[in-house]
Amino acid sequence: MDLTSSFEELFEDAPCGFLVTDADGVIRRANRTFLTMTGHRAEDLVDRVRLQELLVVGDRIFYETHFAPLLALQSSAHEIAVDFRGAAGDRLPVLLNAVMKGEPPGPREIWVCVFAATDRRGYERELLLARQRAEQSEKEARELAGVLQASFVPPTLPQIDGIELAGVYAPAGLGEEVGGDFYDMYETRDGWALVIGDVSGKGVAAAVVTSLARYTLRAAPAREASPSAVLASLHRAVVKERTDRFVTAVYAQVSPSPGGGCLLTLSLGGHPQPVHLTGKGPSRIGNPGTLLGMLRKLRLSDVTVEVLPGESVVFFTDGVVEARRDDELFGDERLERVLVESRDESASDMAGRLLHEVSSFQSGVLSDDVAIVALKVPEALKVPEALEAPQESTAP
């Protein structure tokens, strides 16, 4: 076999389709592989049809607006995915590699290699479907996490005469995992109970313990008289659950104060101390106790604090002070500064501002869940002097 016939055989029976067109795309040659792939006959194509006319409508537009200009500009185009119309009207997914041969003003040719891509397209479609299914699953998981997390905080806090209350919660990251932060306030035989807590970890296991903690804390006051006894009851319930999770929590009894404000009798189980804002500045209240559900021996105590008109107490989870930006923590000093700056605002504005500052500190993406509850006793209303006593009439 001479060299010429060898090249001719290579052209005709190459493992890919091969086309030669003029600069306008008119097909001058088509090898047997291409004809076999598409089902077309050489006499129907050569010198009669432009390459772009074999493409489906959308790809024909793409050829005119992208493929041809790219060839004219760079003299080559690689791995262009298009669909040919077969002789039977079927679609053939292919990849095109093309080069422009010749220099103006002389004649120019386009050499085009056509690689069948049916298997590749099928694989890409499977990948696309798998990605769509994964995205749908992630969306459903986020929605489920949101619904479940919403059950850990009340829709609204109760309205109590003489007290402003506000609570806010924000999940870590995009909120796709259920966190362990929770807060609640409900009426008891001794007044009102305010609780805030945090279960270690995330996910389903943490959610189970979080639900256990909330319902245990709601039921315990019917049997236990003091906040420390209520937290001890929660400790026993978590231990009985035989989980590797632990809980930190604050339980506070809220009752009226003879001074016109309210009394807080609170106990802390391994939880950050709340901040009490008074005219003298911020201070921490409560004695730090042991973690709940972890240690055999508990150390819990009760402390009573009076919150006077104009004063506030802010409860929070560790996602506030332990918020991290690189190697820097949000910290206690920054926390107290934010609260002092907002001390004259409403309880809702105080809680919202603190959450905003923590979020901004981390560029809007929290590294841990954050729960905040603000309790404020408003200043006593002063009666205008003109309304203190009836004025004597000056009428004759």
Side-chain angles (χ1 to χ4, degrees):
M1 181 181 294
D2 59 33
L3 189 60
T4 300
S5 60
S6 296
F7 277 116
E8 184 64 21
E9 185 178 356
L10 176 62
F11 173 82
E12 290 292 349
D13 298 320
C16 65
F18 198 86
L19 298 173
V20 178
T21 78
D22 64 16
D24 294 326
V26 177
I27 297 175
R28 299 306 183 190
R29 290 199 65 181
N31 72 344
R32 276 194 296 263
T33 305
F34 178 80
L35 298 175
T36 302
M37 291 167 56
T38 62
H40 290 294
R41 298 185 307 170
E43 56 267 32
D44 295 331
L45 301 181
V46 176
D47 296 329
R48 302 183 65 178
V49 175
R50 295 191 303 165
L51 181 153
Q52 52 268 45
E53 293 172 359
L54 295 178
L55 301 176
V56 298
V57 174
D59 290 340
R60 194 180 310 164
I61 296 172
F62 176 81
Y63 182 97
E64 299 287 358
T65 58
H66 291 79
F67 187 84
L70 186 65
L71 269 177
L73 181 65
Q74 299 183 356
S75 297
S76 65
H78 303 284
E79 297 187 11
I80 305 299
V82 293
D83 283 3
F84 274 116
R85 288 185 295 106
D90 54 327
R91 296 170 66 116
L92 175 66
V94 299
L95 292 177
L96 303 183
N97 284 351
V99 293
M100 181 82 77
K101 306 298 289 184
E103 295 293 337
R108 309 191 75 185
E109 289 183 338
I110 302 173
W111 293 1
V112 184
C113 288
V114 183
F115 297 92
T118 304
D119 292 341
R120 171 172 170 160
R121 291 287 183 87
Y123 177 61
E124 289 173 346
R125 282 193 291 269
E126 286 298 320
L127 286 179
L128 178 60
L129 289 174
R131 178 178 178 180
Q132 291 172 341
R133 288 193 293 266
E135 290 174 347
Q136 180 63 27
S137 296
E138 289 177 2
K139 178 183 176 183
E140 292 173 355
R142 286 194 297 269
E143 291 174 350
L144 177 60
V147 170
L148 187 56
Q149 189 70 62
S151 69
F152 297 158
V153 298
T156 58
L157 290 173
Q159 294 183 350
I160 303 174
D161 290 341
I163 296 177
E164 286 184 17
L165 287 167
V168 293
Y169 166 82
L174 299 177
E176 65 273 11
E177 280 194 289
V178 183
D181 288 20
F182 64 93
Y183 65 83
D184 205 353
M185 190 161 191
Y186 42 89
E187 198 165 6
T188 68
R189 63 184 180 182
D190 300 314
W192 291 87
L194 189 158
V195 301
I196 185 169
D198 185 6
V199 174
S200 63
K202 296 185 184 300
V204 175
V208 170
V209 178
T210 303
S211 296
L212 171 69
R214 288 193 75 236
Y215 294 117
T216 300
L217 291 171
R218 275 186 169 262
R223 305 184 306 271
E224 311 293 353
S226 67
S228 58
V230 170
L231 291 186
S233 179
L234 172 58
H235 168 76
R236 292 190 294 271
V238 176
V239 170
K240 186 177 180 181
E241 187 70 15
R242 296 183 180 277
T243 177
D244 59 351
R245 310 287 171 170
F246 61 85
V247 183
T248 72
V250 178
Y251 183 95
Q253 291 176 347
V254 184
S255 57
S257 166
C262 68
L263 293 176
L264 295 183
T265 300
L266 68 160
S267 181
L268 279 63
H271 201 84
Q273 293 173 289
V275 177
H276 185 192
L277 293 165
T278 70
K280 297 179 181 179
S283 62
R284 296 304 183 94
I285 57 175
N287 295 324
T290 51
L291 299 171
L292 307 178
M294 187 173 182
L295 303 177
R296 286 180 173 272
K297 187 174 181 179
L298 281 181
R299 188 182 73 254
L300 301 171
S301 60
D302 299 310
V303 173
T304 299
V305 176
E306 184 175 20
V307 185
L308 298 174
E311 297 181 354
S312 306
V313 177
V314 178
F315 303 79
F316 53 91
T317 53
D318 61 6
V320 173
V321 291
E322 294 179 8
R324 183 176 294 276
R325 180 176 62 193
D326 298 326
D327 295 330
E328 183 183 8
L329 293 176
F330 189 82
D332 294 323
E333 183 178 342
R334 188 177 277 104
L335 162 71
E336 294 182 2
R337 184 173 70 248
V338 171
L339 293 180
V340 168
E341 291 172 353
S342 61
R343 61 182 300 168
D344 295 328
E345 300 174 2
S346 66
S348 177
D349 289 342
M350 289 179 68
R353 179 169 177 177
L354 179 55
L355 176 60
H356 173 75
E357 292 292 336
V358 174
S359 178
S360 298
F361 179 76
Q362 298 179 96
S363 301
V365 180
L366 297 173
S367 59
D368 193 9
D369 303 326
V370 169
I372 302 167
V373 177
L375 179 152
K376 183 170 186 175
V377 178
E379 294 278 5
L381 294 176
K382 295 182 179 180
V383 180
E385 293 182 3
L387 299 179
E388 288 182 352
Q391 300 293 315
E392 295 184 4
S393 175
T394 59

